[in-house]
Amino acid sequence: TFTWENLAPADNFELQVDNDADFSWPEISITVTSTSYTPTTPLPDNLYYWKVRQFRSGENSPWSEIRIFRVDTVKPAPPTLVSPIHGENENDLTPLLSWQPPPENSLPLTYKIQISTTPSFQPGTIVRDIWVSDNAWEVTPALEDNLYYWRVAAKDNAGNTGSFSGARSFRVDTVPPASPTL
C-alpha cells in the first residue's frame, strides 16, 4: 500500500510506480482521491520507484521526491557450509562454524543455525537453535565432548526464510587419550 501525506486541500492525486527511474513505462499510473493506494494486482519481484503529485482546481503540484522499494517473494537458497568440514574432529568446546552466504537481492541476510546430536534434527536432540547476523558463529555456550550435526538457513531482509543446508557432522573431542600400558 502506497501512502503519502498532504496538508493542502486537493482534488486528487496521481501516483506512478515504475521499475525504471525514468518512469518511461509505469507499472502503475493512477489518479485517486485519497492519500493511499493499494494495487489490485501484485507487483512482480523487482526494484521499483514511486512518486506522487496532487491536483487542485485544474493545476498540478510538482512531483514528490522519488522513493525506492523492492518486492521480494523469493526465499534465499541454502547457505553453503564451509567449516568444519564433514566428519572433522574439533579439539575445542566452542568451535567456529562458517558458511558461504547464498546470492540474494534483499540484504542483509540473517542465519538460523541448528546443532543436533542426531542427523534428523528431531525435537529434543537440538542443542543449539539460534539466529545470527554474520556468516560465521563461535558456538556458545560450550558444547560437551560428543558427535554433533549442524545446518544453516538464511532469511532475507524481506522476511523470506529459505530451507536449511544439508547437515554436516563434527566431533568435539577435548579429552586426551590414555597413556599406553607398557
Side-chain angles (χ1 to χ4, degrees):
T1 298
F2 299 91
T3 61
W4 53 91
E5 290 183 3
N6 184 55
L7 301 177
D11 296 331
N12 52 44
F13 301 91
E14 182 181 7
L15 168 68
Q16 287 190 347
V17 180
D18 201 348
N19 58 2
D20 287 315
D22 63 3
F23 291 88
S24 55
W25 294 97
E27 308 296 315
I28 297 172
S29 184
I30 192 163
T31 301
V32 297
T33 57
S34 67
T35 56
S36 68
Y37 175 74
T38 302
T40 55
T41 58
L43 291 167
D45 284 16
N46 208 339
L47 182 67
Y48 292 95
Y49 305 85
W50 72 284
K51 62 184 179 178
V52 66
R53 66 180 172 176
Q54 79 166 4
F55 288 89
R56 181 169 181 221
S57 302
E59 296 293 322
N60 62 286
S61 71
W63 286 104
S64 66
E65 66 178 311
I66 295 173
R67 295 273 176 108
I68 301 171
F69 69 97
R70 181 180 306 277
V71 173
D72 179 4
T73 61
V74 178
K75 296 177 180 181
T80 303
L81 303 183
V82 175
S83 177
I85 61 172
H86 186 61
E88 186 169 351
N89 290 318
E90 293 283 328
N91 186 16
D92 184 353
L93 297 174
T94 60
L96 180 67
L97 308 179
S98 66
W99 53 91
Q100 188 72 25
E104 177 58 42
N105 63 11
S106 291
L107 298 172
L109 293 173
T110 55
Y111 304 95
K112 184 173 188 77
I113 304 164
Q114 288 186 332
I115 300 175
S116 175
T117 55
T118 65
S120 61
F121 291 83
Q122 295 292 333
T125 68
I126 297 173
V127 295
R128 300 292 183 280
D129 190 6
I130 187 168
W131 285 95
V132 299
S133 57
D134 294 324
N135 60 330
W137 178 63
E138 184 174 359
V139 179
T140 55
L143 297 169
E144 298 176 0
D145 281 16
N146 202 353
L147 176 63
Y148 296 99
Y149 299 85
W150 68 292
R151 63 185 184 177
V152 180
K155 180 167 76 172
D156 66 22
N157 199 36
N160 302 309
T161 302
S163 301
F164 277 103
S165 62
R168 280 195 181 171
S169 69
F170 65 92
R171 180 178 299 281
V172 173
D173 183 3
T174 61
V175 178
S179 299
T181 304
L182 300 177

